[in-house]
Amino acid sequence: MADAAVLPAPIAKKVPGRFWIVPPAALLALLFFYPLVLIVQQAFMDDSGMANVGEFVRVLHARFFLNALINTITISVAATAGCLIVGLVLGLILAFVPFPGSGVIARLIDTFIALPTFLVTLAFTFLYGSAGMLNAGLMEAFSLQAPPVNFLYSTWGVVLAEVTVYSPFVLRPLLAAFSLVDRGQIEAASVLGARPFRIVRQVILPAAVPALIAGGSLCLLLTVNEFGIVLFIGAKGVITLPLLIYSKAIQESAYQVACIIAVINIALSLGLFGLYRFAAGRLGA
Amino acid sequence: MSVPAFTGSNVMDVDAAKIRGAGSNVHFDKVSVAYGAHVVLHPLTLDIAPGEILAMIGPSGSGKTTALRAVAGFVRPASGRIRIGATDVTDLPPYERGLGMVVQNYALFPHMRVEDNVAFGLRAQGADKALIGERVKDSLATVGMSGFAKRYPRELSGGQQQRVAIARALAVRPRVLLLDEPLSALDAQIRRNMVEEIAKLHRDLPGLTILYVTHDQTEALTLADKIAIMRDGRVSSHGPTAELYRRPPNRFTAEFLGRANLLPVTVTEGATGPKGFAKAKLGDALLAGAARGEKPGDKTLLCIRPQHLSLTGDEEHTNRIVGTLKEVHWQGELTHLVLDVDGTPVRVSATRLPVSLPERGSVVPLFFAPGDTSLVPEDARG
């Protein structure tokens, strides 16, 4: 007992874990939160450093802002709808139509995610631009004086480019969801008399809803903030929020207006990101 | 909520006559299936009569599921034709074949309630609302699941889900019901109950033709009118269940369908007497067994099931062999003994044993009746 009494009490090991939060938190604050705070501060203060909500309200009612907001929403909603349709059709084919090389095609489509967005726009310019292959061919074939295909320099040109770039973002989670669909359910439905369209509608799609929401909200998020494609196409009159921020800040040096629009853009993005995380959580991503 | 068994009384309550008489025959006419150069089902010719349960059993890769999937329309035969009733279905898509199918993992639609699962096939076939309501009610009552119509599959146990899968298949009044290892995902106790309940179901729906694929011989023996034993993509044997069990035509059938002791014997005398028993020698022992046209001098196998061997003889158990007792395994209802008889391990399953069991290593006589034996040709291919 005496020996036991003199034994030193076990020393609790120090847990250093809690201090590791400091470096990343500091880095995040320096590179992300501080600039963000500056933007918000700039949005609500005038040049004399006084709080001023009046300018914020004025921008909210300005024609240029409303046009940009409508353009942004129109393009992102149309592009997201396009991505959902293209992604869904491609996903169904790749997952459920057995053909040799489907895996290679899926991986090839995946590589689009790795490419810079302007690359597709550049390719579109070569294909569908005023001096592109399509117009040149049509002008030569029909002896036309002006290029007949002009959609690229419109809202729809931007939408098409965004659909091309962002469809893989829908396709990837859809393929993951389709791989989890029990083939036995499809076979049982088929034996019970269901034709392929009914099986897609009533058996496959309900299982893919979280993937569609996750992919769709990610597309919406990315297309709302898309800058490169819109700038590269340079469509006349197609000004979106990111492009408006760029033009106000860089071309007109109207920093407060740029910051006000940026704050609204950030709020929009965070809302969509919340939707994406919720859907991704449902999917188990 | 407790689940009533889907008994005859359930069926009678819901007018089972509506389901009866729906069965068609299935005819495989030289049906083969190949994946590239690999033949998984060699030309198969087989008939399933209307209202019959045919169990296809065999080890993994024997071609039994492939044959079922060919009937369902998921596998395209490389050659041959499949007829269901008078219809050649070989080129028809699955949704035009008029079948019902139940698979191992139930394959219920997880986002639909039980009633919607059962109604799925009827809706797909464009049935009117009143008929759908009536059929859903009937089918759920048939499998004793009426109280679960509003539940989702995830709220049911495995056995309950399988009942719903059966109800869903029955609701469309299939010409043939395809059961692909339907009980494999269930635990032993529930599986035993479900086998009995499927047997009852078929007694109440005698017109229903069933193709039952399983690797479980007990399910096959309990349920099937006929059994086809598959091996390496071919039918190794086919016939009435009891006949195949009692008189297996080859070693593979004898060993696959129930446990069998196969003793190498030499025939000394062909079939004689009113019962047609042949005589054969095993070492010094002269044994009588049910013959299959063997001639004196033929080397063959004497098949005797473990439960037909006894440690005590009587006027019926006239065949006698001796062996050295090697193992004794007590399993409650049964005691399994393993003996060495001339170098061949012989298993005995006994419900009753002498009060004093012989010691391991002691020489023990075994008795069996000639009528419980069968001579089986020694055939490496089975």
Side-chain angles (χ1 to χ4, degrees):
Chain A
M1 284 303 290
D3 288 346
V6 295
L7 279 176
I11 299 164
K13 277 189 178 177
K14 282 186 179 176
V15 183
R18 68 180 66 170
F19 296 108
W20 283 103
I21 195 173
V22 176
L27 205 64
L28 210 59
L30 188 70
L31 298 179
F32 181 70
F33 289 116
Y34 181 60
L36 200 64
V37 168
L38 284 182
I39 288 171
V40 175
Q41 195 180 30
Q42 183 81 27
F44 292 99
M45 285 183 178
D46 59 20
D47 293 342
S48 60
M50 299 297 287
N52 184 356
V53 187
E55 184 64 7
F56 197 93
V57 175
R58 192 191 67 76
V59 171
L60 277 184
H61 289 88
R63 190 74 246 162
F64 66 85
F65 168 75
L66 291 174
N67 281 343
L69 185 64
I70 290 166
N71 275 339
T72 305
I73 292 171
T74 307
I75 289 170
S76 58
V77 168
T80 301
C83 289
L84 287 172
I85 294 167
V86 171
L88 183 62
V89 171
L90 278 176
L92 286 170
I93 293 170
L94 290 171
F96 297 109
V97 182
F99 65 92
S102 63
V104 176
I105 299 289
R107 280 191 290 276
L108 206 62
I109 293 170
D110 261 4
T111 56
F112 266 70
I113 294 172
L115 299 178
T117 57
F118 69 83
L119 209 64
V120 169
T121 321
L122 189 64
F124 273 26
T125 309
F126 287 139
L127 286 172
Y128 312 120
S130 301
M133 287 167 67
L134 181 65
N135 274 318
L138 288 171
M139 285 166 73
E140 193 178 321
F142 298 103
S143 305
L144 301 171
Q145 297 302 311
V149 179
N150 285 313
F151 78 92
L152 189 61
Y153 306 109
S154 69
T155 302
W156 300 112
V158 176
V159 169
L160 184 68
E162 291 189 356
V163 167
T164 309
V165 170
Y166 291 118
S167 287
F169 289 83
V170 173
L171 183 62
R172 182 90 324 252
L174 264 184
L175 285 176
F178 288 162
S179 71
L180 299 175
V181 173
D182 177 8
R183 295 304 191 264
Q185 287 174 20
I186 295 170
E187 292 182 353
S190 185
V191 164
L192 289 168
R195 287 161 189 271
F197 184 67
R198 180 182 285 269
I199 294 174
V200 168
R201 197 160 43 89
Q202 296 193 337
V203 178
I204 295 173
L205 280 187
V209 165
L212 279 172
I213 295 173
S217 49
L218 183 62
C219 275
L220 205 56
L221 180 68
L222 294 169
T223 51
V224 158
N225 293 316
E226 180 54 44
F227 178 71
I229 290 174
V230 188
L231 184 72
F232 208 101
I233 284 182
K236 199 179 172 189
V238 182
I239 305 291
T240 58
L241 290 179
L243 212 61
L244 188 62
I245 295 166
Y246 171 77
S247 93
K248 289 292 174 192
I250 307 299
Q251 292 171 339
E252 299 175 27
S253 299
Y255 292 114
Q256 190 183 4
V257 175
C259 287
I260 289 168
I261 301 165
V263 165
I264 295 163
N265 202 353
I266 289 165
L268 198 60
S269 299
L270 287 176
L272 291 173
F273 182 71
L275 179 68
Y276 166 71
R277 287 309 307 163
F278 174 74
R282 288 283 304 275
L283 181 66
Chain B
M1 186 180 288
S2 66
V3 186
F6 49 95
T7 59
S9 59
N10 293 128
V11 176
M12 293 316 291
D13 290 346
V14 296
D15 193 2
K18 290 174 189 166
I19 304 176
R20 284 181 181 149
S24 299
N25 72 311
V26 180
H27 179 65
F28 292 86
D29 184 10
K30 296 175 192 149
V31 175
S32 72
V33 175
Y35 298 117
H38 180 55
V39 180
V40 291
L41 186 67
H42 294 275
L44 168 70
T45 299
L46 192 71
D47 263 310
I48 311 173
E52 183 177 282
I53 301 183
L54 176 85
M56 275 192 170
I57 66 170
S60 297
S62 60
K64 55 189 190 300
T65 295
T66 303
L68 178 139
R69 291 175 66 78
V71 177
F74 300 130
V75 171
R76 170 102 192 137
S79 66
R81 313 297 298 175
I82 298 171
R83 279 198 302 277
I84 297 176
T87 316
D88 184 334
V89 298
T90 317
D91 300 318
L92 290 180
Y95 53 83
E96 287 181 5
R97 296 192 178 202
L99 305 171
M101 189 162 93
V102 178
V103 296
Q104 183 179 343
N105 63 349
Y106 329 124
L108 296 177
F109 309 125
H111 55 284
M112 291 184 199
R113 293 178 191 277
V114 164
E115 60 187 0
D116 294 320
N117 265 281
V118 177
F120 181 89
L122 294 161
R123 289 186 182 131
Q125 293 175 17
D128 66 55
K129 266 190 167 181
L131 180 71
I132 292 171
E134 183 192 338
R135 291 268 189 93
V136 168
K137 202 174 142 204
D138 288 358
S139 303
L140 285 175
T142 303
V143 297
M145 290 292 289
S146 297
F148 295 79
K150 299 289 179 193
R151 298 242 184 130
Y152 284 97
R154 62 177 176 273
E155 296 167 341
L156 304 176
S157 69
Q160 290 169 339
Q161 288 187 51
Q162 198 57 293
R163 285 162 187 244
V164 175
I166 292 170
R168 183 177 66 177
L170 291 177
V172 295
R173 304 291 187 265
R175 294 195 287 174
V176 177
L177 181 61
L178 306 175
L179 301 175
D180 186 7
E181 309 245 14
L183 309 181
S184 301
L186 303 175
D187 63 46
Q189 181 61 43
I190 296 173
R191 196 159 62 230
R192 273 196 293 275
N193 294 342
M194 286 295 290
V195 167
E196 288 166 13
E197 291 180 9
I198 291 173
K200 279 179 191 166
L201 176 75
H202 193 251
R203 277 200 298 277
D204 293 318
L205 309 173
L208 189 61
T209 309
I210 298 178
L211 173 56
Y212 193 106
V213 163
T214 180
H215 63 269
D216 187 312
Q217 45 164 301
T218 311
E219 288 172 26
L221 289 168
T222 310
L223 293 171
D225 301 307
K226 284 186 179 171
I227 289 177
I229 296 183
M230 305 290 292
R231 185 188 190 191
D232 298 335
R234 292 184 168 86
V235 174
S236 176
S237 56
H238 170 230
T241 303
E243 180 65 21
L244 272 192
Y245 183 78
R246 289 197 190 109
R247 304 273 180 266
N250 50 47
R251 174 193 271 270
F252 184 73
T253 302
E255 288 180 330
F256 199 83
L257 200 60
R259 282 193 153 178
N261 296 302
L262 293 164
L263 302 165
V265 295
T266 306
V267 176
T268 56
E269 193 180 323
T272 54
K275 292 184 178 170
F277 293 143
K279 290 204 171 102
K281 283 201 86 163
L282 172 68
D284 296 331
L286 188 62
L287 308 168
R292 196 179 280 278
E294 292 81 359
K295 296 184 202 67
D298 284 354
K299 294 199 181 301
T300 187
L301 298 166
L302 184 84
C303 173
I304 175 78
R305 302 287 178 186
Q307 70 274 21
H308 292 145
L309 286 160
S310 168
L311 297 182
T312 53
D314 56 29
E315 59 200 22
E316 192 191 348
H317 294 73
T318 51
N319 281 328
R320 180 181 182 276
I321 54 178
V322 289
T324 309
L325 185 61
K326 294 287 184 190
E327 302 286 344
V328 179
H329 303 288
W330 180 78
Q331 288 184 355
E333 293 171 7
L334 288 174
T335 302
H336 297 281
L337 312 177
V338 182
L339 295 95
D340 182 282
V341 177
D342 276 2
T344 305
V346 170
R347 292 173 187 280
V348 181
S349 298
T351 48
R352 283 184 302 171
L353 288 169
V355 178
S356 60
L357 202 63
E359 293 284 319
R360 280 187 184 82
S362 59
V363 175
V364 177
L366 293 173
F367 300 90
F368 54 97
D372 289 333
T373 67
S374 175
L375 291 175
V376 175
E378 173 66 276
D379 181 354
R381 264 218 63 79

